[in-house]
Amino acid sequence: MRSGTPLFPEAASTIAPRVDALYLFLVGLTAFMTILIAALVVIFMIKYKRRDPNSIGARIHGGMALEIIWSIIPLFIVLGIFVWATGIFFDIARPPAETMNIYATGKQWMWKFQHLDGQREINELHVPVGRKVKMIMTSEDVIHDLYVPAFRVKADVIPGRYSHIWFEATKAGEYHLFCAEYCGTQHSGMIGKVVVMEPDDFQAWLSGGVQEGSLASAGSKLFQDLACNTCHRPDAQGRGPVLQNLFGKTVTLASGENVVVDEAYIRESILTPSQKVTAGFQPTMPTFQGLVSEEGILQLIEYVKSLKTDMPVSAVRPNTGGPAPNENTPAQAPPTRN
Amino acid sequence: MSSSTVAMPPTHYLNNGLTLKSWLFTKDHKRIALLYLVAVTFFFMVGAAFAVAIRLELATPAGDLLSDENYNRVFTMHGVMMVFFFLIPAVPAILGNFLIPLQIGAKDLAFPKLNLLSFYIYFVGSLFTMYSIVSGGLDTGWTFYTPFSTVASTSAVVPAALGIFINGFSGILTGLNFIVTIHKMRAPGMTWFRLPLFVWAHYATSLIQVLGTPVLAITIVLVAAERIFGFGLFNPAVGGDPVLFQHLFWFYSHPAVYIMILPAMGIISELVAASARKQVFGYTFVAFASIGIAVIGFLVWGHHMFVSGESVYAALVFSVLSFIVAVPSAVKVFNWIATMYRGSVSWETPMFYVAGFIGLFAIGGLTGLFLASMGLDVHLTDTYFIVAHFHYVMVGGTIMGYLGGIHFWWPKITGRMYNDLLGRVSAVVIFVGFNLTFFPQFVVGYLGMPRRYHAYPEEFQVLNVLSSAGASVLAVGYLMPLFYLAYSLKYGEIAGDNPFGAVGLEWNTTSPPPTENFKTTPVVTWEAYEYPTPVEGHVV
């Protein structure tokens, strides 16, 4: 965040220079075309100024060649821009397979972030330089939008859905974080900062502070508190499906439909369990609507993701301060599903 | 130019009945146009007053002039008033109403009573929306995004929405009236390809109004239903989909942008031809460009939602169509400029407005390419860049065109001439003030300042102060015509039937025209904008 009056935003992510290049090209095109158009209008106004009040213009109806030229050339120019811009967009919209995940929850009028290691932040987001970070975001109330101008990315944060942005920061520093979708009275107060740190500093920050244990362990505790473990057992003897190694898999529903187990499916299964019942099971699960917060759901999701082995992680895993766990985004899950 | 010896015609539509009743219950399209002129100008001033409050608040980074609650109400009402009660009706309901029958050689619109009804529907709709201002205000933004508008907002959403719902029928009926009139009421010899381009533009606009507005009406009913009865339509907590609302809303509201700009483009075609005394270059291309814009304009709504969670493939289609719709707009601009080539270009007020329109619309249109570019739109959407862009199109374009049209046809409407020097000065002041106001917003938008922010980081202040200062220049520019046009009503020179020496049927009747428009039904034997070598009846 800078003082003074900058005229161009800081570029602090890998995508930012690519966005800026397209922007500058379009600024150049706009300046060229506007000056050309304005010059022609002014020149024609002067050159063909009416001097005799009874004079009329030359009889010219039009010209097919000119019409074709000034339709086709702009068409090719804009299609070229389309291809260029779409390439950038696809890279923004599709997170890479290997990312460091951070969960974000928007609510009127604050941002809450949960790191996998258990750190929680409000209106402040710490990330390291040089890591691909994916934000998995949802809202507790209305639509918000997480926007970091220095990274040139934003995405709407929508209640009932998970949306994503991803970025790789390139420069340590503090940058604005805004809510970019109007969300009511204190919309302009729903701001904060992104603190980009060198990897070592980030590790130090991660290991300092909270000692609540990882997000997955919080989820594990919640899993037991809500008595989920009475039906979802690791040994296939429970009344509900086994959750071990489930995340990212495709399951068949009672309706015959196939569904990929992603964040949205887990959320839906917790809040409206009878909506999509796995084949072979009875719709006996009660809804947990109102019993578990959006953040709690995110913890449960992280817990389900952590169930890679047959044994659930212990409820209180000590915070080792080691490298943050790398989450694997399953390749078969469409990354921009939302 | 007109000589000072011309006199007003003894009878015309303005003195045919002087009672209040003869105005309020008139079925004359010209009088109805003037009823709209008064009402629309009033709502423009209401909307402008809200704009003044916005620019004053944003002069400092802290939210110090208004509370956040009131600021949100102010920018919402600025948008609602300007979009629904000024920009959408301005050109069609005033100039379209006045001119379409005159330009096609008809006595009136096809359904004069329906035309009057449209005005009263508009009036009643405006009352509901105005009521929402005094009964708690409206804080949803003019876009009414759900679930904020249906669940979270505590403001007067239902009366405001009801007003917009009612007002929509005014637009639908006016569009219907225009379509039938243009099909059925043309004078003998007035073929489709002899129609003035102003009429073509209104035909395209009317199609959008008739086909698009019902979708807005339905959407508003759904918002009200969820808000009042708690139906789970858009609120995900009860099974709704908030993004569905955005699809429905923009399915109308993007074409609505073309409802605002197409008629203004029609005005520019008329003005550039009359100012250059020359046929519009590539008449058929300009005419079909209007239709092309109207059709493709229906298929680009998703470009408002690139970051709202629509699929990347849907976004791809919306993006490419948004680029393609830029082409017919560019074609129009090139044709207008080509029309000036080897013309006899007047330096009277209408030409100054044409020049201003072309300059501002060029920037507005080209910056649209930035937003159609998905990779760039992610950064730019919901920032001041987008605010600047749509003001260049809707304010720079539409209001420039509208005021140009008012100046061009003022002598026809009132029979009197305004001070031309003041007219040219107002065009220059508006052009300069407009750029001072909105150009800094492009810069602050790329820096990342989000729109609808009541308070903002300090580094954005200089650009915001520039914008607010420019707005004061712009305000002077908009106030000027109000005074000298009003002054001309009593003291203006008698204009004569054709003060600009223009062709077009409206110039072949008296100024002001008689109630029945023409003493005898005109028979058209010439092409649109066919300027003969000076002969009697064309050039005074």
Side-chain angles (χ1 to χ4, degrees), chain A residues 20 61 67 94 154 182 338, chain B residues 139 279 309 313 335 381 446:
Chain A
D20 289 346
H61 297 271
E67 299 287 350
R94 301 168 147 192
K154 69 161 74 74
Y182 174 68
N338 283 333
Chain B
D139 71 348
Q279 264 189 333
Y313 300 104
N335 278 297
T381 192
Y446 198 72

Side-chain angles (χ1 to χ4, degrees), chain B residues 95-180:
Chain B
L95 292 171
N97 233 329
F98 194 94
L99 289 165
I100 288 174
L102 282 166
Q103 289 192 330
I104 66 172
K107 283 185 178 166
D108 205 315
L109 288 176
F111 308 113
K113 286 181 189 163
L114 202 61
N115 195 21
L116 183 64
L117 179 65
S118 299
F119 173 75
Y120 282 104
I121 291 173
Y122 167 76
F123 186 73
V124 170
S126 73
L127 290 181
F128 276 96
T129 304
M130 296 285 278
Y131 169 76
S132 78
I133 299 178
V134 295
S135 68
L138 178 69
D139 71 348
T140 60
W142 79 276
T143 46
F144 288 93
Y145 268 24
T146 56
F148 180 74
S149 63
T150 54
V151 178
S153 174
T154 54
S155 65
V157 175
V158 171
L162 188 60
I164 292 166
F165 173 81
I166 294 170
N167 178 42
F169 289 92
S170 167
I172 295 170
L173 294 178
T174 300
L176 186 72
N177 220 336
F178 286 176
I179 291 172
V180 176

Side-chain angles (χ1 to χ4, degrees), chain B residues 313-367:
Chain B
Y313 300 104
L316 187 118
V317 173
F318 287 124
S319 172
V320 74
L321 288 169
S322 305
F323 277 110
I324 288 170
V325 80
V327 174
S329 301
V331 165
K332 280 182 182 252
V333 172
F334 297 142
N335 278 297
W336 292 325
I337 293 171
T339 305
M340 294 171 69
Y341 173 71
R342 292 183 60 202
S344 165
V345 181
S346 137
W347 277 42
E348 290 158 301
T349 305
M351 187 59 219
F352 276 67
Y353 274 99
V354 168
F357 174 96
I358 293 177
L360 298 181
F361 181 72
I363 297 176
L366 285 160
T367 51

Side-chain angles (χ1 to χ4, degrees), chain A residues 14-334:
Chain A
T14 50
I15 203 80
R18 294 176 59 197
V19 175
D20 289 346
L22 176 59
Y23 175 73
L24 292 173
F25 171 80
L26 285 172
V27 168
L29 179 74
T30 301
F32 173 78
M33 288 305 297
T34 305
I35 290 168
L36 178 73
I37 287 167
L40 285 173
V41 169
V42 171
I43 289 168
F44 287 176
M45 273 185 81
I46 293 169
K47 185 165 179 199
Y48 302 114
K49 181 175 180 181
R50 184 181 302 163
R51 296 177 201 282
D52 169 5
N54 287 330
S55 71
I56 62 160
R59 279 176 170 272
I60 303 171
H61 297 271
M64 183 60 94
L66 269 175
E67 299 287 350
I68 289 172
I69 288 169
W70 66 43
S71 305
I72 296 293
I73 292 178
L75 181 66
F76 279 105
I77 293 174
V78 297
L79 289 180
I81 300 167
F82 164 73
V83 171
W84 183 356
T86 303
I88 298 173
F89 178 71
F90 272 53
D91 288 343
I92 293 175
R94 301 168 147 192
E98 298 279 314
T99 53
M100 172 185 142
N101 293 349
I102 300 173
Y103 290 97
T105 314
K107 63 173 280 194
Q108 291 176 319
W109 291 277
M110 65 199 291
W111 292 106
K112 296 184 284 190
F113 301 107
Q114 302 185 91
H115 294 258
L116 295 189
D117 272 11
Q119 281 80 358
R120 294 165 169 229
E121 307 185 72
I122 288 178
N123 293 343
E124 239 183 62
L125 174 65
H126 287 74
V127 293
V129 168
R131 286 282 293 279
K132 295 178 172 64
V133 176
K134 182 166 88 169
M135 309 292 302
I136 302 171
M137 313 184 292
T138 191
S139 165
E140 288 183 18
D141 36 49
V142 301
I143 299 177
H144 303 282
D145 186 299
L146 189 74
Y147 176 34
V148 184
F151 297 164
R152 312 284 188 272
V153 291
K154 69 161 74 74
D156 282 5
V157 176
I158 303 167
R161 291 193 186 188
Y162 294 108
S163 56
H164 309 115
I165 57 173
W166 82 272
F167 51 81
E168 182 180 341
T170 53
K171 214 163 71 178
E174 295 189 352
Y175 306 101
H176 287 300
L177 179 156
F178 294 129
C179 175
E181 185 62 69
Y182 174 68
C183 60
T185 309
Q186 289 171 46
H187 169 54
S188 59
M190 193 168 164
I191 60 175
K193 60 181 179 184
V194 177
V195 182
V196 178
M197 309 173 93
E198 294 299 339
D200 293 346
D201 298 340
F202 181 71
Q203 283 314 326
W205 176 84
L206 263 190
S207 45
V210 240
Q211 299 295 328
E212 300 173 15
S214 73
L215 202 59
S217 65
S220 168
K221 185 169 181 302
L222 198 54
F223 194 75
Q224 284 159 34
D225 290 350
L226 294 168
C228 310
N229 55 344
T230 53
C231 299
H232 293 286
R233 297 165 51 140
D235 54 7
Q237 301 301 310
R239 280 184 288 166
V242 176
L243 302 182
Q244 272 68 12
N245 290 319
L246 186 65
F247 191 83
K249 297 275 159 47
T250 302
V251 296
T252 305
L253 304 181
S255 64
E257 205 185 335
N258 285 327
V259 61
V260 174
V261 180
D262 57 8
E263 289 96 348
Y265 178 67
I266 297 176
R267 181 182 188 282
E268 188 183 11
S269 300
I270 294 168
L271 297 180
T272 50
S274 55
Q275 204 77 18
K276 288 178 184 165
V277 180
T278 310
F281 291 90
Q282 293 302 311
T284 51
M285 177 168 160
T287 174
F288 286 81
Q289 192 109 42
L291 297 175
V292 54
S293 68
E294 290 290 348
E295 285 165 288
I297 294 172
L298 292 174
Q299 292 165 1
L300 289 170
I301 288 171
E302 198 48 43
Y303 171 67
V304 174
K305 285 183 180 179
S306 75
L307 296 175
K308 299 288 181 202
T309 63
D310 288 343
M311 293 300 293
V313 296
S314 70
V316 277
R317 192 178 68 173
N319 192 338
T320 58
N326 242 23
E327 269 309 319
N328 289 331
T329 302
Q332 67 267 44

Side-chain angles (χ1 to χ4, degrees), chain B residues 249-299:
Chain B
F249 179 80
W250 289 116
F251 182 81
Y252 166 78
S253 293
H254 190 79
V257 175
Y258 299 111
I259 296 179
M260 299 175 217
I261 194 67
L262 279 172
M265 289 170 153
I267 290 173
I268 298 303
S269 296
E270 298 300 303
L271 266 54
V272 80
S275 297
R277 290 216 183 118
K278 198 160 156 283
Q279 264 189 333
V280 171
F281 192 90
Y283 171 96
T284 40
F285 285 89
V286 178
F288 282 112
S290 288
I291 304 293
I293 289 171
V295 172
I296 306 171
F298 263 112
L299 304 171

